Amino acid sequence: MRKQKKIASLAKIVLLNQVLLFLFSILGKSVGEAKKIKVVSPICTFADIAKNIGGDRVDVINLSDGLNDPHFVEPKPSMIIHMINAEVVIPIGLRLDMWFFSLIEKSANPKIFEGSSGFIRTYEGVRILEVPEYKIGQPRIGDIHPEGNPHYWLSPDNAKIIAMNITKKLSEIYPEEKGYFMKNAEIFIGKIDEAEEDLKKEFSRFEGVKAIQYHKTFTYFADFFKIKIVGELEPYPGIPPTPSHISQLAEKMKKERVEIIIYEPFRNKKDVERLSKITSATPTELYADCVPQINELKDYISLIRYNIRKIMMSIEGKRK
Amino acid sequence: MEIGFILFLALISQETKTLKGRALLNPDISAIGNIVNQTLLENKIKNEFFIKEFEFAFQGYLYPSIRADIFLTAHGPKFGANHEHGVEGNHIGLDLEEAYVSLLNIWGGFSGKIGRKYIEFGKFNPLHPEQWLYVDPPKVIQNMFGTENLIGDGGQIEFLFPLPFLLRIQGGIFRNFEGPFQDVFYSSRAFSSFGISEFELSFGTSYVGGKTEKEFANFIGGDITLDYIKGYTKLTFILEPILAVNEKSKFAGFYSSLFYSTRRFQAGFRIDGAEPHKETEEEHTENKISFGISPIFAFLLTETTKIRFQYSFFPSEKPKHTIFFQLIFGLGPHSHVLQF
Ligand SMILES: [Zn+2]
């Protein structure tokens, strides 16, 4: 009996502990606040753009590593800490980064909820491709692009729009820094223009090249550089390729004389190799996001340059 | 409760607010099917094939800081039950499994939920079957709560601490729906998580307490989770002990599992240890803990479709051996769950 009482009081201790922890933290709430604007981004590209615009006024945190599928980042509880303290979030939207939205939602931070001042609608003004005919909310098997193709940042023109959206919103929240942000935006957009012009010139002789992509990741990128995407290894976005789909695709590729198969490092390379064997199209590994720890992919402009050069190398190797 | 809730939804939906073009009240609709084949091996082989459940989820925002989650489920029979004579467990009909409104921010770091909910007790109880790493629920959950999930009608308040690491506490008052409690019961949970490079270490303590038919019962739970995530490679360790402290009796149990998963498969095992639920005085005298081990393997065909095999061995139980085969498929938008 005594033992039981002991255990019953254990329950009380657990409860008391929880209450104490709560009081403690209320007391500790006013720990020193840094002056920099805290921005949280789901991908390296958006973080890079935000850093370019915000300069030394912002502290940007990127929650993914650029090496994995941005659709399926595993949200970790400890990531919430960044959301609790965030002043601005720059989600991808269009249902690509639902994991990022789940973090926003659980942060109890009304500054960053959708529709609030700290929530930037990054794709405002971007022409979204492949918007499906059916209504949102109607389920469709396996489709992870229910509101259109969400990989819009891989077109440099869209990156400029994203940069402008971030500039506009940051200037609204911090009007005293508007001039600074605008000037940074001008410099950044100038850099993209320059890179665009260079790369388009370099690539001009390859325009019209035909490609297969694994997932609809490079649709905007291909659109911009005039690469003709003939099909995808995935029968539907998010659905892994089936043998029958691969053989159908191979037929189409032979007929259309597709030269390259583009895919990201996290895709199933066996599928790519199988298709390449049948069709002799060159497997070309591209990146969907910048990767801070790899020097030639360290920022957005490097990423675009890397991808376009990789494609040129593949085609040149093939045409030799 | 249900009618009130539906009325509330209807009232709110009069107001068609949009978030810059995107309709607020256009919910995500998804469906999940969970089909199980269970083979019990004792003196003779007994095979059962059943639709474990079919779940429909409606999830969306009523307002930027208010969201609603509704889960309607058609249930199949319970695990471990003897369905030789069919009936009871086999009724097919839609149950309102969960229906709650989340107030994502009330004030400061406070948020809350109102409605019918899976109680946030430990790591396992809040999860829907398609999120389980196992085919059947750990023995300790069934022995403690008498159901596969403890569910309540009520509300809870949550608080996120503004600290350099994650600390969240939650307290709620619920009424029973099915399970151990007679009427009102109380719940609380503290959860903390630390991310160190690829590792994520989480601790939780949970409590539920309320009047059962005979006495006041307390359930205390602890949970430790260690995740190692690198790209698509994931190693997950969970240990969740639960202690029931009633006025006249106490009993304990735990489960623990270790899983290795990639994008294509999950492989791991679960260890169960649980004392039987003691209702009568006679049973009280024998204090036998039943242990079990279950190796589990799952093929992940797509993000929402998987085939899972589980073999469970409980040396002191009848039947000793159970082989499960499970197919789970999903339609509509899904994403990884973030659990506190
Ligand atoms: Zn995609």
Side-chain angles (χ1 to χ4, degrees), chain A residues 71 145 151 215:
Chain A
H71 278 287
H145 292 171
H151 301 274
H215 175 77

Side-chain angles (χ1 to χ4, degrees), chain A residues 25 69 74 78 95 105 108, chain B residues 28 61 105 161 200 232 234:
Chain A
S25 80
D69 192 342
E74 179 113 12
S78 59
R95 300 310 175 89
E105 192 175 276
Chain B
D28 282 342
Y61 288 88
N105 179 257
F161 291 83
E200 181 89 12
Y232 298 108
K234 194 178 166 190

Side-chain angles (χ1 to χ4, degrees), chain B residues 21-277:
Chain B
R22 182 167 139 211
L24 261 176
L25 289 151
N26 209 343
D28 282 342
I29 302 168
S30 58
I32 283 166
N34 181 357
I35 297 168
V36 173
N37 188 77
Q38 175 180 288
T39 310
L40 308 169
L41 301 175
E42 195 54 41
N43 296 323
K44 53 181 182 184
I45 297 170
K46 200 172 135 223
N47 195 66
E48 284 175 343
F49 177 81
F50 51 92
I51 293 178
K52 179 61 192 144
E53 63 231 305
F54 205 86
E55 180 187 280
F56 301 91
F58 304 86
Q59 296 171 290
Y61 288 88
L62 304 173
Y63 197 77
S65 59
I66 303 174
R67 67 168 285 156
D69 290 82
I70 300 167
F71 295 90
L72 291 170
T73 307
H75 281 282
K78 267 181 201 164
F79 285 108
N82 191 346
H83 331 108
E84 216 152 281
H85 307 292
V87 289
E88 215 204 352
N90 269 324
H91 101 280
I92 294 288
L94 281 183
D95 287 322
L96 186 68
E97 193 79 357
E98 277 196 292
Y100 59 90
V101 169
S102 304
L103 308 165
L104 303 179
N105 179 257
I106 298 169
W107 175 80
F110 287 95
S111 54
K113 295 187 181 79
I114 308 164
R116 172 170 295 176
K117 252 197 116 301
Y118 282 17
I119 302 304
E120 286 179 18
F121 183 95
K123 273 278 166 182
F124 183 83
N125 195 67
L127 293 179
H128 285 244
E130 77 275 5
Q131 298 158 342
W132 300 352
L133 286 164
Y134 335 114
V135 178
D136 67 334
K139 195 130 245 155
V140 61
I141 300 286
Q142 292 198 57
N143 285 7
M144 289 285 164
F145 299 137
T147 55
E148 286 170 12
N149 293 86
L150 179 64
I151 302 174
D153 291 348
Q156 69 182 45
I157 285 222
E158 302 136 9
F159 183 75
L160 264 175
F161 291 83
L163 293 170
F165 58 93
L166 182 86
L167 180 63
R168 179 187 185 263
I169 57 163
Q170 170 264 102
I173 304 175
F174 293 90
R175 293 188 67 179
N176 76 318
F177 168 52
E178 201 183 287
F181 301 113
Q182 186 70 290
D183 191 9
V184 177
F185 65 95
Y186 307 93
S187 82
S188 72
R189 175 164 170 82
F191 177 76
S192 189
S193 199
F194 309 84
I196 312 133
S197 71
E198 271 97 21
F199 290 93
E200 181 89 12
L201 180 62
S202 311
F203 301 96
T205 58
S206 307
Y207 168 82
V208 282
K211 265 198 160 157
T212 66
E213 270 175 41
K214 295 177 196 154
E215 53 190 355
F216 196 93
N218 301 287
F219 296 89
I220 304 161
D223 49 90
I224 299 172
T225 315
L226 179 65
D227 283 319
Y228 169 83
I229 304 170
K230 189 160 192 189
Y232 298 108
T233 308
K234 194 178 166 190
L235 211 57
T236 306
F237 170 78
I238 302 172
L239 171 65
E240 186 170 350
I242 304 174
L243 180 67
V245 188
N246 303 349
E247 281 162 21
K248 297 192 191 96
S249 65
K250 69 163 179 81
F251 56 104
F254 77 97
Y255 75 92
S256 180
S257 71
L258 181 66
F259 272 83
Y260 172 79
S261 54
T262 69
R263 217 175 183 190
R264 297 270 160 257
F265 71 88
Q266 288 169 345
F269 62 91
R270 185 183 80 206
I271 292 170
D272 281 282
E275 286 182 289
H277 191 128

Side-chain angles (χ1 to χ4, degrees), chain A residues 16-223:
Chain A
L16 185 70
N17 242 326
Q18 295 177 357
V19 171
L20 275 178
L21 279 168
F22 169 71
L23 291 174
F24 261 119
S25 80
I26 286 199
L27 290 171
K29 199 176 175 175
S30 55
V31 186
E33 279 149 48
K35 269 184 189 166
K36 286 191 177 182
I37 305 160
K38 288 204 178 80
V39 181
V40 183
S41 166
I43 52 170
C44 168
T45 292
F46 288 10
D48 178 49
I49 298 174
K51 271 180 216 157
N52 272 286
I53 308 297
D56 56 10
R57 310 289 199 277
V58 294
D59 188 359
V60 186
I61 286 152
N62 168 32
L63 296 185
S64 66
D65 61 7
L67 292 168
N68 296 293
D69 192 342
H71 278 287
F72 300 109
V73 174
E74 179 113 12
K76 298 178 192 172
S78 59
M79 289 177 178
I80 296 273
I81 291 304
H82 302 303
M83 292 297 186
I84 296 173
N85 299 318
E87 271 134 334
V88 174
V89 287
I90 38 180
I92 300 165
L94 301 168
R95 300 310 175 89
L96 188 145
D97 49 349
M98 282 163 77
W99 60 273
F100 190 75
F101 281 79
S102 79
L103 290 167
I104 293 177
E105 192 175 276
K106 289 198 158 78
S107 70
N109 177 359
K111 276 190 266 182
I112 56 169
F113 289 161
E114 188 162 6
S116 307
S117 64
F119 181 100
I120 301 186
R121 231 173 84 111
T122 25
Y123 63 89
E124 183 107 58
V126 170
R127 194 171 62 86
I128 299 301
L129 305 173
E130 297 163 352
V131 179
E133 295 271 312
Y134 66 92
K135 276 188 187 154
I136 304 160
Q138 260 176 22
R140 209 166 100 171
I141 299 167
D143 198 339
I144 55 171
H145 292 171
E147 294 179 20
N149 189 320
H151 301 274
Y152 54 88
W153 66 91
L154 289 173
S155 151
D157 276 350
N158 289 344
K160 290 188 256 179
I161 300 175
I162 298 164
M164 277 324 294
N165 288 334
I166 294 175
T167 310
K168 221 170 82 189
K169 210 59 197 262
L170 282 180
S171 307
E172 264 170 46
I173 318 173
Y174 307 97
E176 67 282 4
E177 303 284 2
K178 190 179 174 180
Y180 176 74
F181 297 143
M182 291 296 279
K183 194 164 174 263
N184 286 346
E186 209 183 306
I187 297 168
F188 180 63
I189 288 171
K191 277 188 204 162
I192 294 184
D193 281 336
E194 219 172 278
E196 256 181 39
E197 205 181 318
D198 279 2
L199 293 174
K200 276 214 152 180
K201 205 182 280 169
E202 269 182 63
F203 194 70
S204 60
R205 62 200 166 102
F206 300 111
E207 276 178 10
V209 64
K210 286 178 181 172
I212 286 286
Q213 57 182 343
Y214 199 104
H215 175 77
K216 291 186 172 212
T217 304
F218 299 100
T219 307
Y220 293 89
F221 176 82
D223 212 39

